[in-house]
Amino acid sequence: MSEKFYVTTPIYYVNDVPHLGTAYTTIAADAFARQRGLRGRMTRFLTGTDEHGLKIDRSATERGMTPKAFVDEVSAKFREAWPKLHCEPDDFIRTTDARHIAAVQRLWTRCVDAGDIYKGDHEGWYCVACEQFYLEKDLVDAKVCPTHKREVEWMKEPTYFFRLSKYQDRLLALYAARPEFVLPEGRRNEVLSFVREGLRDLSVSRTSFAWGVPVPGDPAHVMYVWFDALTNYLSAVEGTENEGFWPPDLQLVGKDILRFHTIYWPAFLMSAGFADEQLPRSVFAHGFLTINGQKMGKSLRNTVEPLRLAERFGADEVRYFLLREIALGQDGDFSHRKLIARTRSELAATVGNLLHRAMPFATKYLDERVPAVDEAHVGERERALRAKCETLAADAGRAWDSFEPHRALECAIQVAIETNGYFDARAPWTIAKDPARLSELGTVIYHVFESLRICSVLLWPALPTKCDALRAQLGLSPLQPAVDQDQWPGAWGQLLAGTAVSPGAPLFRNITREDEQELLKEFVVESVETVAVSKTEAPTEASPQPVTEGLANIAFADFEKVDLRLGQVRSAEKIPKKDKLLKLTVDLGEESGPRTIIAGIAMAYAPEQLVGKQLVVVANLAPRDFGKGLISHGMLLACGPSESLSMVTLEKPMPVGTRVK
Ligand code: ME8
């Protein structure tokens, strides 16, 4: 059989819609599938949705829906989102699929047959958001989940346990024998020390709710959602024509769920009788994205909507940015400004511009064809360019092999940078003036076109649509991975002379300074509105920049007219049909009692996150009427875009009502 490559993403919880974090993993997996496909491997790319468990059950109830109707609706959003980001999974698995349920029950039965599942009682602190029990020592402030910063619940129930402790030694042996099982290397140490501390048996069933896969022979129990979910990678291929893809070659996960994938998952498989060589080859934990420096957890809701980004900035551009900007294993930051900057400098001004500069010579002087090379004109510069391109292509290939897409893409852009330099040095505009130098002109343009062809392959995993458009202009067909056919650029000179070129529109949008202002306004403007929302007057022309310049000086006496006070939030609630607003009661220590303040902060804060917080209030602002009886008696100070807003607080607590000056 040809060499295969089976890549997976986590299956995403349907209590959220696709956001930039889940898009990041999916885009990375898609890019790996494309890249390995270009190298001739037979690829399979799996993603899907995780639909069982208490968290989903509760989300459905909150929405007034049955769990099934709810998961159908949200799962469809994931399935429909990925193609819009030019991701092409071969399969989309849902944990509510019959094929999956049957496979999980089979795996369970195999673990029972191995004597690894036994019945007992389980009690402890449980975080519904993590779907995980916590030891008291791991909680924050005795009762708060360290990941979600919300209160855990005490749960006691009869349960089936999985004999995880039995697999401790075999897991340690696995990590030692196969260092690439946990990647990147730094993460392996984290897993190792966790396992070395000792593994406790794992509770793998629940009786307190019914939304899950029934335990074979004991339907009062549903399976623990992680036993259920992890099996998806197996259920998508087991017993099907795709069985040959097993085991997964690359399991991409966020660092938040590495332990589940490198401890529980192989232990379940070991118990079910899988030999070490039948276990997944590599689990790679990528880092977490922040947005403009802010944490982007779904509980905090300060996400960037990836489809909207794709619509306005281009799906390929967003893919490129994420893969190029962030080293895969490390945390990274997304910002619209950085996205624009990279699109402009690396894509438009380097790759797009190279095509744009060279193509007119083909149109005007070279019969709209890829010119032939006249060896008489191949000199030092040509030889240097060829060698450079070959080296960069090989380096890019190695970078993909070592899970470093950002470096691979850097090599690809370097090809275009080198070629722009070559173009400048060879100055074809001068050569073109002399009809006797036509074959020399052809030689120069051939070198540019061939290097653009190389770029079109090297960049394709990240920018499939743009690269195919580039290829179309060079008279080449779209790239299509073919099994056993390595299409990665090797030796120089694959472009065929005589191929008709087909000049077309610029590949990348030229984002002017005005466009940039518009885009930033559209995406970042909400920050200004948020702060302005409780102003008496409507905001004037909004600016995407924090206002640090342009305002006239004021006298201290004027500043003193603003009564800034420390307030403490006593209660907070959502306002029906007003997505951005929260209604708060804020205590300023006044005899009249806490004030009502309406604030445009609902995109960044859940009401429960605010209760008890000390915030800075503009206390002498004229009341603002929001209609329907909603009157705000003050304004809160905050900073940043509305989805990732940060409230102004004090460094240490002070009595409520204290003047801020
Ligand atoms: O954990 N930055 O699902 P989930 C980067 N259903 N990636 C992020 C991210 C961020 N800020 N936020 C989320 C689950 N992700 C389980 C998985 S698998 C058998 C079951 C990505 O919807 C990242 O890949 O919470 C992370 O691991 C995943 O979304 C979590 O998705």
Side-chain angles (χ1 to χ4, degrees):
M1 177 176 157
S2 312
E3 209 188 342
K4 56 105 188 160
F5 179 72
Y6 179 25
V7 58
T8 66
T9 72
I11 47 170
Y12 304 114
Y13 284 131
V14 288
N15 66 334
D16 205 344
V17 290
H19 57 72
L20 203 63
T22 46
Y24 177 56
T25 322
T26 314
I27 288 169
D30 182 78
F32 274 106
R34 287 177 186 274
Q35 196 274 338
R36 299 298 198 263
L38 286 181
R39 307 259 27 194
R41 290 182 56 179
M42 187 154 63
T43 64
R44 190 149 191 90
F45 165 23
L46 175 72
T47 188
T49 43
D50 188 353
E51 306 183 7
H52 289 131
L54 188 52
K55 176 163 48 176
I56 307 298
D57 198 16
R58 286 191 182 168
S59 297
T61 311
E62 273 166 28
R63 292 270 308 272
M65 295 170 86
T66 63
K68 182 71 174 84
F70 173 71
V71 299
D72 284 350
E73 184 184 302
V74 187
S75 178
K77 288 194 178 138
F78 280 91
R79 188 194 290 266
E80 287 156 16
W82 303 140
K84 293 180 185 152
L85 295 167
H86 302 163
C87 295
E88 291 176 358
D90 297 293
D91 193 359
F92 186 98
I93 189 145
R94 303 179 52 186
T95 52
T96 49
D97 285 346
R99 59 175 173 156
H100 172 75
I101 292 170
V104 185
Q105 291 183 327
R106 274 199 303 274
L107 188 78
W108 178 280
T109 306
R110 287 167 75 173
C111 295
V112 171
D113 292 347
D116 287 340
I117 290 184
Y118 63 94
K119 208 166 182 180
D121 265 324
H122 190 268
E123 58 185 326
W125 294 110
Y126 194 77
C127 171
V128 175
C130 301
E131 298 280 14
Q132 193 184 351
F133 276 101
Y134 275 95
L135 295 175
E136 193 130 359
K137 73 171 175 63
D138 296 326
L139 298 174
V140 183
D141 294 339
K143 269 186 134 185
V144 175
C145 158
T147 307
H148 291 89
K149 311 278 182 280
R150 52 207 256 180
E151 278 207 1
V152 291
E153 299 171 30
W154 186 259
M155 289 220 192
K156 177 174 177 175
E157 50 180 339
T159 189
Y160 286 96
F161 283 98
F162 173 76
R163 256 182 241 288
L164 186 61
S165 54
K166 176 174 156 189
Y167 291 95
Q168 177 163 340
D169 291 343
R170 194 167 151 200
L171 284 169
L172 289 172
L174 173 73
Y175 309 141
R178 301 229 324 250
E180 74 289 356
F181 181 75
V182 188
L183 292 172
E185 198 178 334
R187 297 272 164 211
R188 189 180 326 129
N189 301 331
E190 186 185 307
V191 174
L192 266 178
S193 55
F194 186 85
V195 176
R196 279 195 191 123
E197 263 182 38
L199 294 176
R200 297 153 57 104
D201 289 353
L202 183 70
S203 159
V204 284
S205 76
R206 302 278 180 269
T207 51
S208 51
F209 60 92
W211 183 241
V213 178
V215 165
D218 193 351
H221 288 250
V222 292
M223 288 181 204
Y224 173 43
V225 67
W226 276 99
F227 189 96
D228 167 359
L230 286 162
T231 309
N232 87 86
Y233 309 119
L234 178 64
S235 42
V237 294
E238 193 186 47
T240 74
E241 58 187 16
N242 295 307
E243 189 143 32
F245 281 99
W246 184 264
D249 295 274
L250 174 62
Q251 303 217 263
L252 274 176
V253 298
K255 62 181 184 181
D256 54 331
I257 54 174
L258 181 66
R259 284 184 197 171
F260 295 101
H261 283 81
T262 53
I263 302 172
Y264 296 178
W265 174 223
F268 297 153
L269 291 171
M270 287 170 178
S271 166
F274 285 75
D276 281 7
E277 58 279 9
Q278 284 302 307
L279 301 175
R281 304 244 189 270
S282 291
V283 177
F284 190 104
H286 65 68
F288 254 49
L289 293 181
T290 50
I291 295 190
N292 295 317
Q294 305 263 333
K295 188 165 183 276
M296 195 198 58
K298 62 192 157 199
S299 313
L300 298 174
R301 309 289 317 162
N302 59 352
T303 54
V304 172
E305 214 282 275
L307 300 188
R308 203 175 135 216
L309 285 180
E311 250 168 48
R312 298 294 281 128
F313 294 90
D316 275 13
E317 286 85 342
V318 173
R319 291 168 61 102
Y320 175 79
F321 175 78
L322 292 171
L323 294 168
R324 170 79 182 90
E325 173 80 13
I326 304 158
L328 193 63
Q330 287 164 24
D331 292 342
D333 189 48
F334 176 90
S335 93
H336 302 89
R337 273 177 212 286
K338 286 192 274 187
L339 169 60
I340 292 173
R342 278 212 190 269
T343 304
R344 189 188 268 146
S345 67
E346 294 179 358
L347 298 180
T350 305
V351 180
N353 199 36
L354 184 58
L355 178 68
H356 187 67
R357 295 170 87 192
M359 191 55 90
F361 291 96
T363 327
K364 247 178 148 175
Y365 306 103
L366 301 165
D367 198 20
E368 294 210 6
R369 291 187 182 277
V370 173
V373 170
D374 180 348
E375 286 300 325
H377 294 294
V378 173
E380 229 9 82
R381 288 208 175 93
E382 281 70 25
R383 277 190 285 277
L385 181 69
R386 292 174 181 189
K388 198 81 204 165
C389 289
E390 287 176 1
T391 310
L392 286 166
D395 288 350
R398 275 192 292 273
W400 279 107
D401 289 345
S402 54
F403 310 103
E404 296 176 294
H406 72 293
R407 289 212 325 100
L409 296 174
E410 187 184 353
C411 293
I413 295 300
Q414 197 57 37
V415 168
I417 292 173
E418 296 285 343
T419 313
N420 272 301
Y422 165 81
F423 191 85
D424 293 338
R426 287 299 253 129
W429 51 92
T430 310
I431 305 174
K433 283 188 192 141
D434 181 355
R437 295 175 73 186
L438 192 63
S439 71
E440 186 181 350
L441 178 69
T443 303
V444 172
I445 297 306
Y446 180 90
H447 279 75
V448 176
F449 282 175
E450 167 66 352
S451 109
L452 279 166
R453 183 196 69 80
I454 292 172
C455 273
S456 79
V457 187
L458 300 186
L459 288 172
W460 191 78
L463 296 145
T465 311
K466 293 294 181 182
C467 288
D468 285 343
L470 165 58
R471 295 173 65 81
Q473 296 208 25
L474 296 174
L476 296 168
S477 51
L479 279 170
Q480 187 69 54
V483 176
D484 289 337
Q485 201 183 315
D486 188 356
Q487 300 179 63
W488 203 250
W492 174 272
Q494 302 303 305
L495 191 60
L496 287 183
T499 310
V501 296
S502 144
L507 284 182
F508 299 99
R509 170 175 164 201
N510 171 28
I511 306 177
T512 63
R513 296 288 156 195
E514 291 76 49
D515 293 342
E516 178 171 1
Q517 288 307 314
E518 273 306 307
L519 283 165
L520 290 178
K521 225 186 238 180
E522 186 182 324
F523 282 87
V524 193
V525 70
E526 287 145 358
S527 59
V528 178
E529 277 170 7
T530 309
V531 180
V533 82
S534 43
K535 279 189 184 164
T536 328
E537 323 85 77
T540 49
E541 175 72 317
S543 150
Q545 303 258 18
V547 185
T548 52
E549 325 177 305
L551 291 179
N553 287 341
I554 55 167
F556 185 66
D558 287 330
F559 172 68
E560 279 209 300
K561 288 183 198 159
V562 184
D563 188 11
L564 296 175
R565 299 271 169 184
L566 186 65
Q568 186 153 27
V569 181
R570 296 289 175 220
S571 69
E573 60 184 277
K574 292 190 171 162
I575 304 176
K577 297 196 188 141
K578 301 270 186 201
D579 288 344
K580 293 186 178 171
L581 300 182
L582 289 183
K583 181 177 170 188
L584 313 171
T585 50
V586 183
D587 190 354
L588 299 181
E590 296 163 307
E591 271 183 14
S592 49
R595 298 180 179 206
T596 298
I597 294 181
I598 312 294
I601 55 177
M603 308 285 280
Y605 287 89
E608 61 272 16
Q609 287 176 284
L610 293 164
V611 177
K613 263 203 173 30
Q614 291 203 324
L615 302 173
V616 178
V617 179
V618 185
N620 62 338
L621 203 62
R624 180 175 178 198
D625 191 347
F626 282 82
K628 304 219 159 85
L630 292 170
I631 297 177
S632 186
H633 298 274
M635 182 176 97
L636 300 173
L637 296 191
C639 168
S642 64
E643 294 148 333
S644 54
L645 195 76
S646 175
M647 305 302 296
V648 175
T649 58
L650 292 196
E651 204 234 315
K652 51 179 180 258
M654 287 280 163
V656 289
T658 308
R659 182 103 194 254
V660 180
K661 50 190 180 168

